[in-house]
Amino acid sequence: MKIAIKRLLFIIVMLGLWEGIHLANFYPDYIVPSPITVFDTLIIGFLQGDLLTALGASFKHLIIGLSLSILIGTLLGMILGKSKQADETAGMYLIALQSIPSIVWVPLAILLFGFGELAVIFVVVVGGTFVMALNVRSAIHSVPPQFLRAARTMDARGFELFYRVEIPASIPYFIQGIRLAWAFSWRALMAGEFLSNGPGLGYSLSFAQDYARMDQVIGIIIIIGVIGAVVDQLVFSKLERNVMKRWGLLNS
């Protein structure tokens, strides 16, 4: 409860500073609109359905892209985690690929798929795949050796050893990978949509920029930030904490 009050007070202070800058007329209204103007713009956007359509399109792109990135990243991470040859060759390039900003993949996506939804989904998949693969590889490498030795003394070999020991021991790191994949995919989604032909929040942001609608720009930025924080805190953060507690890696 105290944390919630602190966060609420912080938001109130930030809104107060924002309104103070607006009233001081350091910048014209079209550059720094008031919080009330931005709030009204958001209300109108939701009532007219434009923002709801953009939200629906963005979540469609995200669900498809994130699902594919988790699947591909998991398979790639398992290969690198189980194969020393693959890890020593392709594995060394994984960090380099993961470090490439999502916006860099947009021109390639446009050349491959045009300005449509496939290009956006491609950017989302690339944005989440490599970080997911890195976490799955680290998860397999982090399985305590004593677990493997104990299982082998009970005649566990091959797939049975992987299924009964390595996968359960890797679950906490796998969940961390999903959380990071979500964060990277969400940012990649905005980068892909920003240069697409829509629909989506990123496209709406680009459209508002083209017409110098700073109230819409700020409003959409707020929506993107709020969605990212809420989904992370209410879904992935809680899931990660529950798994960590169950595996005894976090105090209750």
Side-chain angles (χ1 to χ4, degrees), residues 169-240:
S170 303
I171 291 296
Y173 303 95
F174 178 78
I175 299 299
Q176 290 177 354
I178 292 179
R179 184 181 181 185
L180 289 173
W182 139 256
F184 278 79
S185 294
W186 180 243
R187 284 183 284 184
L189 172 66
M190 294 304 117
E193 288 183 343
F194 192 80
L195 298 177
S196 73
N197 282 337
L201 284 176
Y203 172 75
S204 299
L205 183 63
S206 176
F207 185 84
Q209 173 201 296
D210 291 340
Y211 286 89
R213 289 293 309 274
M214 187 61 74
D215 53 342
Q216 290 185 3
V217 169
I218 295 176
I220 294 172
I221 290 174
I222 290 173
I223 292 174
I224 293 171
V226 168
I227 291 176
V230 169
V231 173
D232 182 74
Q233 289 296 315
L234 296 185
V235 179
F236 295 103
S237 181
K238 284 190 175 182
L239 177 62
E240 182 181 356

Side-chain angles (χ1 to χ4, degrees), residues 76-77 79-94 137 141:
L76 182 59
I79 293 172
L80 296 176
K82 296 297 294 180
S83 172
K84 184 178 180 180
Q85 290 75 18
D87 193 30
E88 290 177 345
T89 53
M92 65 175 294
Y93 300 106
L94 199 60
R137 183 187 70 170
H141 288 168

Side-chain angles (χ1 to χ4, degrees), residues 49-134:
D50 296 337
L51 288 178
L52 289 176
T53 301
L55 273 172
S58 290
F59 275 109
K60 172 189 171 184
H61 300 153
L62 179 68
I63 291 172
I64 296 174
L66 180 59
S67 300
L68 289 173
S69 67
I70 291 174
L71 175 61
I72 298 171
T74 299
L75 293 175
L76 182 59
M78 289 171 59
I79 293 172
L80 296 176
K82 296 297 294 180
S83 172
K84 184 178 180 180
Q85 290 75 18
D87 193 30
E88 290 177 345
T89 53
M92 65 175 294
Y93 300 106
L94 199 60
I95 296 178
L97 290 170
Q98 191 270 324
S99 65
I100 297 175
S102 300
I103 192 71
V104 174
W105 297 103
V106 174
L108 176 63
I110 292 174
L111 289 174
L112 291 174
F113 304 106
F115 287 90
E117 292 183 300
L118 283 178
V120 176
I121 293 173
F122 173 83
V123 175
V124 175
V125 171
V126 174
T129 294
F130 300 127
V131 68
M132 188 69 201
L134 282 171

Side-chain angles (χ1 to χ4, degrees), residues 135-148 166 169-170 173:
N135 275 269
V136 172
R137 183 187 70 170
S138 298
I140 294 175
H141 288 168
S142 299
V143 176
Q146 57 267 32
F147 287 6
L148 301 177
E166 292 183 275
S170 303
Y173 303 95

